[in-house]
Each structure stands twice: as structure tokens, then as C-alpha cells.
Amino acid sequence: KKEEESKEITAPFNPEKDIASDDWQGMRETLKGARNFEYWWSFTQLAVEMKILDPDFELGLDNNAWQGMRKVLEGYRNNEYWGDFAWQAMRMKILDPNFDLGLDDNDWQGMKKRLEKYRNNENWGDFASQAMRMKILASPRLARALSEGKIKKYFKEASKKRK
């Protein structure tokens, strides 16, 4: 499997070659520190980045980690910080596409309002980011492809369907 992925990467950066074991150790220690200090937003962000770099990397996502990440998500929901809510929800969905985030109509309306605000302000960078987060949340196949390191295959299949 890893050999197949290596052959696909023709860019000047190849995670398998360009990320050394010391780098992984540093990331592992940073992840552990975020967990120990209950910096769940930072933990979630780093965990997703590591998951994308190596979908098979063991992140130690136990009930405590999921509760901490959900607490961050709930805080954003309760305060109606819909941009941050969408970031956190998207990261959690990438970490486990089967995890039930409990998204309801109110959440989707809040995220859409945030998207509309970016549109009205012609803030196209944030508009694109919010739209991307919402697309990942709305598409279990896309979240799974990101989680499993099969995003290239996902986009190939999607482009075939458009033709």
C-alpha cells in the first residue's frame, strides 16, 4: 500500500521520504502535550494534519479525546461561532468519518449564515474555506477519502461523473 502511494507522489515533497522519524517524534510529543494540557482545539488540528500525512498513524483517539474535541465543538455551537464550529466539526469528521457529530438544522443554518456573511463582504478566501468545510461535512465519501488518504482517487471518480 505505502509503495503504491509513493509511486503516485511525483511532487518535490514526499512525506514518506521527507518526514524523518525525529519529525514524527516531535509531532507525537506535541500531540501528547496538547492532550495532557487539554488543548483540544490544537490537539484536533494537529491530529488531522498527522492523519493526512499518514492515515495509518495511531493517534490515540480514545473516549477522553473525543469528549474533549466535542466540548470544543459544543462551545462554538453554544456561542454561535459558526466559522470555528465548521473547522472543528470538519476536523473531527476527517478523523473519523463515522463519528456522529449531531449536526442539526440549526447548525447548518448557522454555517450557511457565516458563508453568506463572507459572500456579502466579498471575503472570498474565508468564503472558500467555509464552503470547503461544509462540503466535507456534507459528503461522507469525501471525509472518508481524506481520512483514508484516498483523496486523489476520490477526485478522479468525481471528475469522471462530471463528464
Side-chain angles (χ1 to χ4, degrees):
K1 180 184 168 190
K2 291 215 179 211
E3 242 180 82
E4 186 179 274
E5 288 174 4
S6 285
K7 290 178 188 174
E8 289 182 18
I9 298 173
T10 57
F13 176 73
N14 180 334
E16 289 181 28
K17 293 179 182 174
D18 296 326
I19 299 176
S21 61
D22 288 349
D23 302 326
W24 281 107
Q25 185 59 33
M27 289 185 282
R28 198 177 286 114
E29 288 172 14
T30 302
L31 188 67
K32 183 180 178 184
R35 179 191 182 91
N36 290 343
F37 288 105
E38 298 184 356
Y39 297 151
W40 295 114
W41 186 90
S42 298
F43 176 88
T44 310
Q45 179 179 344
L46 182 56
V48 165
E49 293 162 350
M50 294 171 73
K51 175 91 171 167
I52 288 172
L53 289 170
D54 181 356
D56 298 323
F57 187 82
E58 178 53 49
L59 296 165
L61 299 177
D62 59 9
N63 283 338
N64 186 49
W66 284 108
Q67 286 174 354
M69 291 185 288
R70 186 179 279 284
K71 184 177 177 182
V72 171
L73 186 68
E74 291 300 322
Y76 292 142
R77 176 183 280 136
N78 294 336
N79 290 299
E80 299 185 356
Y81 296 154
W82 297 112
D84 292 332
F85 176 88
W87 270 121
Q88 183 70 6
M90 178 201 70
R91 290 178 180 128
M92 292 172 72
K93 187 53 84 173
I94 292 170
L95 289 172
D96 183 354
N98 298 317
F99 187 79
D100 182 10
L101 296 168
L103 298 180
D104 60 23
D105 288 339
N106 186 57
D107 297 331
W108 284 105
Q109 290 307 312
M111 289 186 286
K112 285 179 180 179
K113 271 193 205 172
R114 173 55 70 179
L115 184 67
E116 189 62 29
K117 181 177 180 180
Y118 292 142
R119 177 185 286 130
N120 291 337
N121 292 335
E122 297 183 6
N123 184 343
W124 301 117
D126 286 338
F127 178 89
S129 291
Q130 182 74 357
M132 175 205 62
R133 295 177 281 229
M134 292 170 68
K135 178 175 179 164
I136 291 169
L137 289 170
S139 173
R141 278 188 50 240
L142 177 54
R144 189 168 286 99
L146 286 163
S147 179
E148 295 172 358
K150 297 178 181 174
I151 194 67
K152 194 172 185 178
K153 181 180 176 186
Y154 170 86
F155 283 118
K156 280 182 185 179
E157 290 172 3
S159 69
K160 286 178 189 175
K161 288 179 182 178
R162 285 192 297 262
K163 292 179 182 177

